[in-house]
Amino acid sequence: MTMLVLFHRIRHIFCICSCQCGSSDRVQQIQVKQEDTRVRTYRVISAIQPVNHIDQKQLFLMSLNFDPVFKYDRPIPFQLYKQQFSNPSDIYLHLAIKIINVVIRKHGSYEKYQGISMGQQLSRNRVKKIVKSYLQREGIDPNEIDLNLSENLISRASMSYSYGRPLLSIKMGHGTKENWLHGMLRHEIGTHYMRSLNNRWQPWSTNMSRADYQMKPCNPTEEGLAALHSILTNQHPHLFQVYCKLQP
């Protein structure tokens, strides 16, 4: 087995439990109008999570020649998934490669850079204290947002709504480190959530009114700002991950 094949197998099975959508990954939805005019909504994060990923991961770790076969409870039709996600942009990839090469020359390796830039490992209690402190600094009542800390999330962090309440979910584990957490809070709360709060007071607050103003979806621009916001105060604010996420 070549190293490239092994890399892609490892990436496939472990990304099931640790997807990064920029970091963060907010819940994405795909809406499809069916023949009977009903609209079916697919929640992407839920749809791509296999129901048997734990068993397949264990079998893979027992033998690296094992090809995992995943089963899904509510899969997205392949053609729809291909239509929505098959055209990634590489227009800024050359810049990302230049930056990562600078990072490696400066720090010796990407692993050393991660060790320096991500900060110390955090306990659950420490995560709760940092989140509470950040919300208070931003003028947000900590009781306004529910906090979900779990080892079983797909994305490292996400901001969503559960039963009408804002929910910040954070994946606990090896990657839950202090500098990363501060950047994630600036991304999810300081950008996405604060923008959504401000949006409620605007004349374009609904999809219909946005169409009246001929406004495009806010997410592409907002995601770029959130990605920048997450690293600008870091001691080592290298932009290679940001350039990988930007689109023209």
Side-chain angles (χ1 to χ4, degrees):
M1 181 189 301
T2 67
M3 287 300 296
L4 182 60
V5 172
L6 179 59
F7 168 77
H8 282 297
R9 287 187 177 181
I10 293 174
R11 181 184 179 190
H12 185 200
I13 195 167
F14 283 100
C15 277
I16 293 299
C17 300
S18 59
C19 293
Q20 282 188 320
C21 341
S23 82
S24 147
D25 3 80
R26 291 195 302 162
V27 174
Q28 298 187 46
Q29 295 183 346
I30 299 177
Q31 292 187 334
V32 183
K33 190 172 183 179
Q34 299 181 339
E35 294 181 359
D36 57 3
T37 72
R38 291 180 302 170
V39 175
R40 182 173 184 180
T41 299
Y42 293 92
R43 295 175 67 86
V44 176
I45 295 299
S46 299
I48 65 174
Q49 182 171 11
V51 296
N52 64 334
H53 68 278
I54 295 178
D55 293 339
Q56 295 298 296
K57 178 179 178 179
Q58 291 174 345
L59 292 171
F60 175 78
L61 292 176
M62 292 171 59
S63 172
L64 298 182
N65 291 316
F66 174 76
D67 284 319
V69 178
F70 296 115
K71 298 179 181 178
Y72 302 88
D73 183 45
R74 195 171 179 233
I76 299 175
F78 176 74
Q79 286 301 118
L80 178 60
Y81 188 84
K82 183 179 179 181
Q83 176 184 342
Q84 292 284 333
F85 301 108
S86 63
N87 296 307
S89 172
D90 62 354
I91 188 171
Y92 300 116
L93 182 60
H94 66 289
L95 296 175
I97 292 174
K98 286 184 178 180
I99 296 170
I100 193 64
N101 285 334
V102 170
V103 169
I104 293 174
R105 286 198 301 270
K106 180 177 180 180
H107 299 283
S109 69
Y110 178 74
E111 288 73 19
K112 289 181 179 179
Y113 163 72
Q114 285 284 84
I116 294 172
S117 64
M118 291 295 98
Q120 63 180 351
Q121 187 76 26
L122 298 175
S123 65
R124 284 175 174 265
N125 287 336
R126 183 61 179 154
V127 169
K128 292 178 181 179
K129 289 180 180 179
I130 290 176
V131 171
K132 181 179 179 179
S133 176
Y134 179 83
L135 293 176
Q136 290 173 333
R137 288 200 309 272
E138 293 294 327
I140 302 173
D141 183 351
N143 295 319
E144 180 180 327
I145 298 178
D146 294 330
L147 181 62
N148 172 35
L149 304 181
S150 173
E151 291 82 8
N152 300 318
L153 300 174
I154 292 183
S155 56
R156 293 180 65 187
S158 66
M159 191 71 197
S160 59
Y161 284 84
S162 178
Y163 300 102
R165 286 182 55 81
L167 176 65
L168 175 63
S169 297
I170 300 174
K171 184 173 184 177
M172 298 299 299
H174 178 69
T176 314
K177 297 188 176 182
E178 186 167 5
N179 294 341
W180 169 83
L181 180 61
H182 286 292
M184 183 277 295
L185 290 171
R186 291 191 293 272
H187 183 119
E188 295 292 347
I189 303 296
T191 309
H192 292 313
Y193 183 66
M194 296 296 283
R195 196 280 311 166
S196 69
L197 290 181
N198 178 67
N199 187 72
R200 298 175 188 177
W201 299 95
Q202 306 305 324
W204 53 79
S205 60
T206 65
N207 290 334
M208 184 175 297
S209 58
R210 289 186 72 87
D212 292 339
Y213 283 98
Q214 298 182 340
M215 297 176 68
K216 295 181 178 180
C218 63
N219 192 60
T221 300
E222 182 179 320
E223 193 62 40
L225 292 173
L228 290 170
H229 197 187
S230 66
I231 68 165
L232 286 181
T233 61
N234 288 4
Q235 186 177 356
H236 306 281
H238 299 293
L239 296 170
F240 57 91
Q241 290 183 335
V242 174
Y243 274 109
C244 287
K245 300 169 187 174
L246 293 178
Q247 296 185 10

